Amino acid sequence: MAADTQQTHRPGVFKQQNKGHKHGKHRSKGSLERETKGKVNVKVLTKKKKSSLNRADRRHQASQIRKTKRDEVLAKKRGRGGQGAPPHFVVILKLHKDVDISSVLSLLKTCDEEATVNLNEQGICHISIPRFKQRVSIYTPEYGNMHALLDAVKVADSLLCLLSTDGGIDDFGDYCLTCLCAQGIPAVNFGVQGLKLIPHKKQSDVKKSIQKRIDKRFPGDKYHSIDSTQDALLMLRLITNQKLRPIFNREYRPHLLAEDIQFELPNEESELGTLKVSGYLRCQNLSVNSLVHIPGWGDFQMLQIDAAKDPYTQNQKTRGIAGQDTEMSESEGYVTVLDKANPSQQESLESENVPDPMEGEQTWPTDEELAEADKNAKKKVVKKVPKGTSEYQASWIVDSDDDNDSQLDEESDEDDDEMQGVDEVESADNESDNEEFETLTVTEADEDAQYDETMDLDEEKNMLKKIKEERLHVMFPDEVDTPMERTARERFSRYRGLKSFRTSPWDPKENLPLDYARIFQFANFRQTKKRVMNIESDGGALPGWYITVHIANVPKEFMESYKPGNPVVVFGLLKHEQKISVLNFMIKKNSFYTKPIKSKERLIFHVGYRRFSACPVFSQHTNGSKHKLDRFLPADTVTMATVYAPTMFPPASVLVFKETYSGEHELVATGSLHSVNPNRIVTKRTVLSGLPFKINKRSAVVRFMFFNREDIDWFKPVELRTKWGKRGHIKEPLGTHGHMKCVFDGQLKSQDTVLMNLYKRVFPKWTYNPHVNAPPVINEFSLDTMETEEDEEEERTAYQMFE
């Protein structure tokens, strides 16, 4: 009875309601299983299962990765100097003119009695060391020959720098290190000769001085004494066993250093011939259907590639091309034709497009289009015209922004941008010279005649003119006087005003020059570079072989200008690297070069393995879509230099030189290749200035900016600004002589200047020249940039005239 009467407890309205679990914005595993009810998605079935490794497997995988990387490093080290590999190429650079390279080289030759020493016609010394099972090729460029040094280091595995006990490094040695560090320097070793000849009391100070000079550029590196054969043998061991420093430009491209050179002409009257270059191939395979580049001469095609016996082998047993060991004597040799060029598969030397002048032309209009044109022609248009103008005269008035761009020349536009004060200063100088001096016949001393032979008077005058222009540009940046004999709307018809230089739109395809029809543009340059770099070349000559490359259509001037002892380097090109595009270099002016460099001035570029001359356009390096033109290369900031040049895949080092009137090359700037982008907009700013004539609270009457009423109406939409930060616009013209009423956001000061910014896009000139003459050898070098008293007096006079 008690069990029947017992009642079950039922919760009331006040039962506690707990919150559900907050699992975020995703569903829990339980809810997914209840919904799917055992069903499996198709994507899960097709997706590759990721197996999670346990602890032991992860350790084993890490050890395998380490072992693979270690094997790659060892294989790379064994790929230099051993049998079947190219010799370890060493360049000896003396950093002081008092260093005796011949004594150091003789110690390296005689340090091992079993070593075999050979010297070829190119000045390369081959040393085969059986004790180390290594081969070393040593090249010593002539002191003062900068081109020979740069070309040799382009393919060098190691650089041996020799310092002097008296001063360590001189000015030219420091200049060489500056150029080499900017180009890309391989593994470096330092040697000093003559330490034992110094008294013991002074050796400590000399060692500290030498180490201090080394730590300035290479902190942590040590130097080694080379005073005996034992020291020389230790240096060779150090060179052959050191870690190689990779250089990107040559790691992905096949290249060789010429061991033997032959030139053949089809006949005596021909200007082009076949150049046969023999040497060890390095880094990558070389296909006969690809292109090769000779620095300073351009790109060429190959006829065939031959494989010959290695002339500097360690022993008489030579490994053939097929991989079989063949006994040969020194007098015997074989020449195997590896491959001949196939015209159907060979890369073309075509570097630029041939523009079609009829491209984009319309066909003959149809009857419907003619009828529509007549209908539009009869449409009534409301125009603002002067009083008394007839309908016939009004039809000739143009309302649109039509300008005769095609009739304006770029060069005349550049000349008009210069300030008129420079011409006035020059005319005043000429008049004063004529008044103060007269022509006399004077017998000059021999010292004065010798001094004048090293000077070019025209070059001095041009340099003084550029110095004045640069300082005038610093004092009044981009300011141009409005011409009085020509209307401003015609003079500045190519320019436009921008509301904001950073955010205002500018179409990169607008009003392109005809030269843009000749260049190549990549749809996706990064993807193209990635695809080209990952292509593995099959066949052809393999790295380490001693080959002979037959290069076709080489100019006869190459052999006429060639001097035995200067290195000849041949680089294989990647795909698309012969095609010309717009290259942007990020450079910075060197601190020891104080002369002004004007935009569009011819300079010599060393870009990676290329060497060419061009006239760059300088612009600011900013993050925006538009970049302001720099009329002169600034000295304290990074600048972009834009040129037409063959395509190259970055990263690549850039060295910029300036050729003097004596033929020498002076280092101007260093940097790197930034991008290959024709769409980069470089805008030239021109500033028109005016002075306030009458100043009110919010308005002012401005004069001297324009000189007629029509120009004021033309430039009325452009915003004005002042040097003191005020902004405004033109309200209306006053009179007919160029006075105008302007409204500003505040009251102007009497000493303020009203400015109007106008912009136009500029493009580089087609001035690419692959042929660069070698500079003369530098006998005396000095970084002394102190000015003479005459230069200071001329600059002081120029400042007074400008003020």
Side-chain angles (χ1 to χ4, degrees), residues 78-136:
R78 292 165 184 165
R80 286 288 186 276
Q83 186 65 31
H88 197 103
F89 184 51
V90 182
V91 176
I92 299 180
L93 170 64
K94 68 174 187 177
L95 299 178
H96 199 280
K97 63 180 179 180
D98 296 336
V99 175
D100 187 8
I101 290 186
S102 59
S103 60
V104 176
L105 192 58
S106 62
L107 287 176
L108 295 175
K109 292 179 183 178
T110 59
C111 63
D112 191 358
E113 297 178 355
E114 299 179 356
T116 304
V117 180
N118 295 296
L119 182 64
N120 61 14
E121 297 178 355
Q122 311 303 323
I124 302 175
C125 179
H126 292 270
I127 304 176
S128 177
I129 311 172
R131 180 185 302 186
F132 301 153
K133 296 181 180 180
Q134 291 285 328
R135 295 183 298 170
V136 179

Side-chain angles (χ1 to χ4, degrees), residues 443-461:
T443 303
E444 297 182 353
D446 294 337
E447 296 180 358
D448 296 338
Q450 293 177 0
Y451 184 80
D452 290 341
E453 288 179 358
T454 61
M455 292 184 59
D456 188 353
L457 185 58
D458 295 336
E459 182 72 17
E460 294 290 327
K461 291 181 179 179

